[in-house]
Amino acid sequence: QQPVQSPQAVILREGEDAVINCSSSKALYSVHWYRQKHGEAPVFLMILLKGGEQKGHDKISASFNEKKQQSSLYLTASQLSYSGTYFCGTEVRGSNYKLTFGKGTLLTVNP
Amino acid sequence: NAGVTQTPKFRILKIGQSMTLQCAQDMNHNYMYWYRQDPGMGLKLIYYSVGAGITDKGEVPNGYNVSRSTTEDFPLRLELAAPSQTSVYFCASTDPGTGGMDEQFFGPGTRLTVL
């Protein structure tokens, strides 16, 4: 089942902060975050594993609430380059290394 | 390293035609995936492979076939193209990291239109 992302879209001015949420109805093993710019392929940002381990981008932070099966991506002091669509992908135990992606959150950062 | 490569970048098909989308990776990854992306819908898994000779269906496999004869290549076959297969197709690869699934590397995509 597809995870639910919120908000669907957000518009910021450069320097403002944003939080993007990802919620699943299934017990998650890990949550993955990707960013996609228009006309390009998704690019890896971060993995959050059950148990607290994180791997990924130095300048982006995220959290994973294992009890609520929710993850949040925190974008602080946004830059123009942060614009794009953000996707979360969720992995459940036993899925044999498959991700189910949300519909995405469109982030627009204006000068 | 070229990473994940896909050909062609663009293609227009007529209804009922067939074609093969090519995907190759040079990172010696065992796991490879095919996704389709429709506007506003995220990425949907079509087929995946855990190694040469082993493939399995994803969420939306109908109308597609795959094969994996080598570690490097993972072609996606469309038989009898339909307008509903108009989409952007991405191939990706990865290998398990310590503690679970690792970063997926995506190819640049193939934009397919069926008329």
Side-chain angles (χ1 to χ4, degrees):
Chain A
Q1 193 167 358
Q2 196 171 29
V4 177
Q5 288 187 232
S6 63
Q8 288 185 310
V10 58
I11 300 174
L12 299 176
R13 290 215 176 272
E14 216 172 349
E16 291 181 338
D17 303 337
V19 180
I20 300 173
N21 301 301
C22 176
S23 171
S24 175
S25 59
K26 295 191 172 184
L28 300 178
Y29 189 70
S30 67
V31 180
H32 300 227
W33 287 96
Y34 287 80
R35 178 171 60 211
Q36 184 180 31
K37 294 189 179 285
H38 183 70
E40 298 180 7
V43 173
F44 170 76
L45 293 176
M46 179 164 284
I47 296 172
L48 301 108
L49 295 166
K50 192 177 168 84
E53 184 180 348
Q54 297 187 3
K55 304 185 233 184
H57 208 289
D58 288 342
K59 295 186 178 180
I60 289 178
S61 63
S63 64
F64 178 20
N65 185 324
E66 295 172 33
K67 288 185 179 178
K68 293 186 176 181
Q69 310 307 327
Q70 292 175 349
S71 177
S72 295
L73 188 69
Y74 305 98
L75 302 165
T76 57
S78 60
Q79 304 171 17
L80 296 177
S81 62
Y82 287 10
S83 292
T85 301
Y86 289 76
F87 293 98
C88 70
T90 54
E91 180 191 9
V92 300
R93 188 177 289 277
S95 68
N96 199 15
Y97 300 106
K98 297 196 304 289
L99 292 179
T100 303
F101 285 93
K103 292 184 179 182
T105 295
L106 177 61
L107 176 73
T108 304
V109 181
N110 292 321
Chain B
N1 283 354
V4 180
T5 57
Q6 290 183 239
T7 55
K9 290 188 179 178
F10 303 94
R11 184 73 186 267
I12 298 174
L13 282 182
K14 294 183 179 178
I15 294 172
Q17 287 185 322
S18 301
M19 75 164 294
T20 299
L21 282 67
Q22 301 291 345
C23 173
Q25 53 94 8
D26 62 0
M27 296 171 282
N28 204 33
H29 286 160
N30 286 305
Y31 288 75
M32 296 188 73
Y33 309 84
W34 273 106
Y35 296 96
R36 61 175 288 171
Q37 185 175 36
D38 302 312
M41 297 304 293
L43 295 154
K44 297 284 191 179
L45 182 65
I46 305 170
Y47 271 94
Y48 69 104
S49 170
V50 302
I54 308 170
T55 63
D56 205 351
K57 296 177 181 178
E59 290 178 79
V60 289
N62 291 346
Y64 307 95
N65 273 303
V66 293
S67 59
R68 183 103 180 265
S69 56
T70 67
T71 300
E72 295 78 19
D73 301 301
F74 189 38
L76 178 72
R77 178 85 177 157
L78 277 72
E79 304 280 2
L80 299 174
S84 60
Q85 292 177 305
T86 294
S87 190
V88 180
Y89 292 83
F90 287 102
C91 178
S93 73
T94 189
D95 259 347
T98 55
M101 192 172 175
D102 214 338
E103 169 186 359
Q104 287 193 16
F105 294 85
F106 284 83
T110 294
R111 187 174 296 273
L112 176 68
T113 302
V114 182
L115 299 173

